[in-house]
Amino acid sequence: MSDWLPVLIGRMSTEYLPTDPATIGAAVGMPLMVLTVVAALTYFKKWRWLWTEWLTNLDAKKIGTMYIIVAILMLVRGGADAIMLRLQTAVAVGDTQGPFDADMFQQVVTAHGTIMIFFVAMGLVFGIINWVLPLMIGARDMAFPLLNSISFWLFAAGMVLNNFALVFGGFSNGGWLGYPPLTELQYNPGPGVDYWIWSLQIAGVGSLMSGINFFTTIIKSRAPGMTMWKMPIFPWSVLVMSVLVMLAFPILTVTLALLGLDRTMGMHFFTSDLGGNPMLYINLIWAWGHPEVYILVLPAFGIFSEVVATYSKKTLFGYRTMVYALIAIMFFSFVVWQHHFFTMGAGANVNAFFGIMTMVIAIPTGVKIFNWLFTMYRGRISFTAPMVWFLAFVVTFTIGGVTGVLMAVPALDFQVHNTLFLVAHFHNVIIGGVVFGLLAGITHWFPKIFGFKLHDKLGRYSAILWQIGFILAFIPLYILGLMGAVRRLDSYDDPSWQPFFIVSGIGVLVIASGVAMFLLQIAYSVVKRKELADTTGGDTWDGRTLEWSVPSPAPHYNFAVIPQVTHRDEWWHRKQTGSTTYARDEYEDIWLPRTSAAGLYVAVAAGLAGFGIIWHIWWLVAVALVALIVVVIRQTLNDDSEYRISANELFHEDQKRSVV
């Protein structure tokens, strides 16, 4: 039996069980949470509802909601990591030992960065796109609804595999970008790095599929008459983002595959010997990594464009320049990656080129900020929660932009590279530019999806707490970086640093209170949903674009009649001319996709294959891949994948939902 044991369980052993109190708590807590949810679903007899209405539903709006739910859960998870990091640095000075040893601290650093980028920011971005992209362009759904489901479930499978490392095996300690040689087998033989590789590989393939889907939807599914120059800015931002995804994520896929081959098959692509080159990895990962920043921030720019125009009651200022700025950012994002390693010996000429390109990319970004401010000029501004998020963004992101231009100067970068100055700059951009925009978008479009608004005052409180917390958390890090404090430092000897770390820790706790306020906002709004119900017939904010022309919550088919577009702000124009309804003969039969579990099955198979590779359980890998092929073939041969809604049914349902 012992001879068969390695075949059955690979390299799994009891030595990989968690031993640290924090990981033991996570290993026990996460399964208990899952069991609690399972018990609740069983007690209330909601399994069938969950399966048909959510898990197998191909409606983009519901898929978007699942993206956002996963992302918010991971926000809490990644936020807990941030609190632990700042707790460590607040107390670990001189001979005082913090709560974590060096290895555990590096695991927390890696977990925080990985979860926040791949499973919070990407989840919120893709969730909001699924919510509103088809609605804004006059489409009934994504171009490929089933592919959309597969994309989400691969994202979820990657998230589960990533977090399972806490339960068994341990998280990677190689940083959120996994630089070799630290992540090579010679120096890091445990399963943590493998969990990191294959969880991101699975989620990354899902992201690539989403990019293809979004691009195709915008190109092929726009309403009649909606030319590219009549398309709202948010779909433009998604289009540009999708191009970046299609170009950048294959680089990530190949890079992770090569690192996986190094670790699993004994190859030497990125080793320090036998012809390998770690610098090749660093070039490849940042050739993906810097476009990834704009993959996250460009949709947020699109959200702010819609928010500012809506709550200023004005047409967006400089529409064409906004589009050209988006395209310029897309181009320049691919020629700046080497500013991440100015100090690694590329030479003065190479550094100068990438420094100049980094400075140039700030120009189209600045254009967008000025256009938003000019949109607000003489507008009838409503300072609702989304506008407060926007104002917080302008302050925070501008600081991040200015410090980014400073770091684009190679001579200065030599002084602050790999210090906490860089950490502060990065969070300025990601939190101020991405998270603030996404939270504004959730607040703005929430009533369109659920039929009731989020409580505005609690939303404004959340934005204010986030902003105050951000200043307290990251301004001290700029100072510490200039004082010489390097990042990923688990302890330090200079006691003059400690006050700044303590203030930073307080700031993180204030941000945590902002997250708690956001969750309270959602919970309170659900309880008070009757009082907060959208009574406008769907035009909650007196909007300008097509999503506000349909009832709230939006029906699963989006539009009973696909609109004929004649203007950029089509819904605003229709309200001014009184042409907001359709004649009876304009309704036609439509076909919609049936529910399908194929996406869930594909993700389970991919997750099991990834788990098998991590632990060298090759029979499991083979079984999972065969199951994956069977699911794909079966779905391909399925001829009963759609159902019909008659024109008469559409007409009567539309009449019932409309406000007379």
Side-chain angles (χ1 to χ4, degrees), residues 79-269:
D81 288 334
I83 292 172
M84 288 190 289
L85 293 175
R86 293 284 75 89
L87 173 64
Q88 173 82 5
T89 54
V91 300
V93 57
D95 295 330
T96 305
Q97 179 64 47
F100 308 112
D101 60 25
D103 182 70
M104 179 55 63
F105 184 82
Q106 297 306 322
Q107 289 187 44
V108 177
V109 169
T110 305
H112 174 69
T114 301
I115 287 170
M116 287 301 196
I117 293 297
F118 289 95
F119 301 112
V120 176
M122 290 294 285
L124 292 176
V125 167
F126 285 3
I128 292 174
I129 292 172
N130 271 282
W131 266 10
V132 298
L133 176 63
L135 285 164
M136 294 190 79
I137 63 172
R140 290 206 167 90
D141 208 324
M142 293 294 176
F144 308 116
L146 180 58
L147 187 66
N148 198 26
S149 174
I150 294 172
S151 300
F152 166 74
W153 284 112
L154 287 174
F155 167 82
M159 180 274 296
V160 171
L161 194 62
N162 186 270
N163 283 277
F164 193 79
L166 288 172
V167 179
F168 186 71
F171 214 92
S172 170
N173 58 5
W176 76 275
L177 286 176
Y179 282 8
L182 180 60
T183 51
E184 289 286 350
L185 195 63
Q186 179 182 354
Y187 303 102
N188 214 323
V193 176
D194 298 297
Y195 271 114
W196 179 84
I197 290 172
W198 294 104
S199 65
L200 299 192
Q201 189 73 288
I202 293 168
V205 170
S207 298
L208 178 58
M209 290 179 177
S210 291
I212 295 169
N213 205 352
F214 299 155
F215 181 85
T216 307
T217 301
I218 295 171
I219 296 299
K220 302 297 291 185
S221 299
R222 300 191 310 277
M226 183 177 282
T227 64
M228 299 301 286
W229 291 116
K230 291 177 184 175
M231 192 166 66
I233 286 293
F234 181 70
W236 262 112
S237 71
V238 177
L239 179 66
V240 172
M241 180 216 74
S242 301
V243 174
L244 289 176
V245 169
M246 292 188 293
L247 293 175
F249 267 84
I251 301 174
L252 177 67
T253 300
V254 171
T255 305
L256 292 176
L258 295 178
L259 184 60
L261 288 171
D262 276 9
R263 293 182 56 83
T264 306
M265 306 299 292
M267 297 187 180
H268 296 276
F269 292 104

Side-chain angles (χ1 to χ4, degrees), residues 225 272 275 309 332 373 480 536 554 646:
S272 299
F332 286 114
L373 296 177
L480 284 165
T536 65
S646 68

